[in-house]
Amino acid sequence: MEMVLLDWTRMGKAFCLAGVVLQDRNYRIIRPLFTKNRHAPVRNIGWPAHLLERHVRWEIFELIGSEPADPQLPHSEDVWVQALRPRNRFALREQRRAVLEATAPKPEESLFGAPLLTTRFAAYLPPGTGCRSLTTILVPSDEISFSFCCREGAPEPDVRVMLPVPPLGERLLMVKDHHLLRRAEESRADPARQMAALNTTVMQMGERVAVRLGLSRPFQSDTRQPAMCWLMADGFFSLHDPQP
């Protein structure tokens, strides 16, 4: 089975991946999980960075030894794989646009199959609810704004984005898009200038930006509360010309 790499997000020192496969003339999103980690207590280990060196989004990979994983809702996309084999090919631009449009929910559908709950700024689903953990929304580029937050004890600032999430309105989300974050880091500027660079980058994507949203594995942002699956910003793409 071949997969087009779509979401490439940071998970500490490793990466969480998601891709799209063509099945029965429909696009299906999957999260490939490293089979060697199948007995770990939680599925949040990710792929080692060295396995993804010199690769980019929209690259096509063969999934070696793939087999379904028991769904842990809202994470219904999990698939165990023994390895990812690059095919040295990339999805065409027309295919990329089709993938982004096909992975957006219909107007009458909720983003993740269940209504998101909210705090003052964030959004989440309780574990065991919903029917998917990944989706695409289309957002006017001038309604996207990046900022940073310095947490006590954290080695570097967290990057966050304010954007409208239907039907909730504006939400402030953690940014996990590896390619976008790396572009800012390579500028070697201070955090404020990096945020300005991110805002400029997204504005240059065109009037509408395809934003990939994802739900985290169950995580406690407050030890006094139960673990929740928090809404995050996983990827930003120009809808006109989706690039890595």
Side-chain angles (χ1 to χ4, degrees):
M1 180 167 60
E2 290 189 340
M3 175 195 79
V4 177
L5 180 55
L6 178 57
D7 300 325
W8 182 330
T9 60
R10 294 188 177 183
M11 183 186 291
K13 295 182 179 180
F15 296 106
C16 179
L17 305 179
V20 61
V21 299
L22 182 61
Q23 189 175 63
D24 298 327
R25 297 186 179 181
N26 294 310
Y27 291 112
R28 180 169 71 95
I29 296 293
I30 64 169
R31 288 183 184 264
L33 305 176
F34 209 177
T35 301
K36 66 179 294 185
N37 299 325
R38 70 186 308 160
H39 299 299
V42 290
R43 296 176 182 175
N44 64 349
I45 297 176
W47 290 82
H50 72 272
L51 295 180
L52 296 167
E53 291 178 358
R54 298 182 299 278
H55 296 294
V56 296
R57 291 185 300 201
W58 299 119
E59 189 170 351
I60 298 173
F61 290 83
E62 181 182 357
L63 304 180
I64 306 300
S66 63
E67 55 181 303
D70 294 334
Q72 296 180 349
L73 298 178
H75 295 82
S76 61
E77 305 90 352
D78 294 347
V79 175
W80 295 114
V81 300
Q82 296 175 8
L84 301 173
R85 178 181 294 165
R87 303 295 290 167
N88 300 316
R89 294 186 285 114
F90 299 86
L92 301 176
R93 186 168 64 178
E94 293 73 16
Q95 294 173 317
R96 300 177 190 187
R97 285 199 299 265
V99 165
L100 294 172
E101 292 170 349
T103 52
K106 296 179 175 62
E108 68 275 11
E109 292 180 327
S110 57
L111 293 179
F112 299 100
L116 286 163
L117 306 177
T118 62
T119 64
R120 183 181 178 187
F121 294 114
Y124 64 91
L125 274 187
T129 63
C131 62
R132 55 184 168 270
S133 66
L134 295 162
T135 193
T136 303
I137 62 173
L138 303 181
V139 182
S141 57
D142 60 2
E143 295 183 22
I144 299 173
S145 178
F146 293 91
S147 61
F148 68 93
C149 174
C150 295
R151 290 182 296 114
E152 184 177 354
E156 55 190 23
D158 291 330
V159 179
R160 305 195 177 188
V161 63
M162 183 74 80
L163 51 78
V165 177
L168 307 177
E170 288 194 332
R171 295 288 101 188
L172 185 64
L173 309 180
M174 290 286 293
V175 177
K176 295 295 183 179
D177 182 339
H178 170 62
H179 288 275
L180 195 68
L181 294 172
R182 185 175 62 182
R183 184 178 302 181
E185 293 161 355
E186 288 174 347
S187 71
R188 301 183 183 274
D190 60 77
R193 291 183 178 179
Q194 288 186 19
M195 297 310 103
L198 291 178
N199 287 317
T200 299
T201 297
V202 168
M203 287 295 293
Q204 292 173 342
M205 290 182 179
E207 293 184 2
R208 289 199 304 166
V209 176
V211 181
R212 293 284 298 158
L213 298 180
L215 293 168
S216 71
R217 301 290 174 174
F219 175 78
Q220 285 179 295
S221 61
D222 184 335
T223 56
R224 296 169 295 181
Q225 301 293 331
M228 296 296 176
C229 301
W230 293 92
L231 185 64
M232 303 179 298
D234 288 350
F236 296 80
F237 298 89
S238 164
L239 190 62
H240 170 69
D241 186 15
Q243 296 293 322

